[in-house]
Amino acid sequence: SSVHNLHDDALDLQAALQTLIQNFTFCKGNFVYDVTHSMSQEMIYHILAIVKECMNNTMKHSNATVFTVTLREQPTFYQLILTDNGTSIKKQDTGIGLKNIRERVETMHGFLNIQTEQGFCLFITLPKEEIAHENINC
């Protein structure tokens, strides 16, 4: 019963991200998802919060016509790339939203790169979580 309840509480990241993109009416949304291994619920919640904050920033600070969420899995890390094709008057890297994103990335021991040359791009690298395995003697 406990294992069943944990599974019921598990959030499907791909479905949640697809729903966010479908409900994003500010501009056209694109979504690329290439992840095969499961993540912790904590990582999933952080990723969803980051995507929501970036969408909010796009609506507040951009005249974008396209917003793209890309999540890819590599052997030792995940790549989360959030882009829009909007223009901004100045580099928006000191606001509370980006501060919160930066803190979430740091919490997951990841790296954040912000580019503003051609639209706005958050390039986030998140290391895969270590899974502790106990030696079981039979």
Side-chain angles (χ1 to χ4, degrees):
S1 176
S2 294
V3 172
H4 183 69
N5 288 341
L6 285 174
H7 182 64
D8 286 348
D9 291 340
L11 185 60
D12 181 342
L13 180 58
Q14 183 176 12
L17 289 172
Q18 283 176 329
T19 299
L20 283 176
I21 292 292
Q22 289 169 351
N23 293 333
F24 189 61
T25 58
F26 177 76
C27 62
K28 181 181 187 304
N30 293 325
F31 181 49
V32 178
Y33 187 88
D34 184 19
V35 176
T36 57
H37 293 90
S38 61
M39 298 175 193
S40 72
Q41 290 299 296
E42 180 181 13
M43 183 175 270
I44 289 170
Y45 287 122
H46 281 306
I47 289 172
L48 288 172
I50 289 168
V51 171
K52 287 177 186 178
E53 186 62 51
C54 195
M55 288 176 153
N56 189 43
N57 285 349
T58 294
M59 289 187 297
K60 284 183 177 179
H61 305 292
S62 172
N63 61 350
T65 59
V66 178
F67 180 84
T68 302
V69 175
T70 303
L71 183 60
R72 290 194 175 104
E73 180 179 7
Q74 302 297 334
T76 59
F77 60 91
Y78 299 101
Q79 292 175 322
L80 176 61
I81 306 166
L82 305 167
T83 62
D84 71 42
N85 66 343
T87 57
S88 64
I89 297 169
K90 62 180 183 171
K91 188 174 180 178
Q92 301 286 334
D93 62 357
T94 57
I96 188 78
L98 284 177
K99 180 180 181 274
N100 290 337
I101 290 172
R102 198 176 301 280
E103 288 173 1
R104 287 183 181 278
V105 171
E106 288 172 4
T107 296
M108 294 182 288
H109 307 288
F111 299 96
L112 171 65
N113 184 1
I114 301 171
Q115 298 175 0
T116 59
E117 289 78 35
Q118 297 177 353
F120 189 80
C121 177
L122 290 182
F123 189 90
I124 300 168
T125 303
L126 302 170
K128 286 188 176 179
E129 301 144 324
E130 295 285 330
I131 300 173
H133 298 282
E134 295 181 20
N135 291 330
I136 300 174
N137 296 325
C138 297

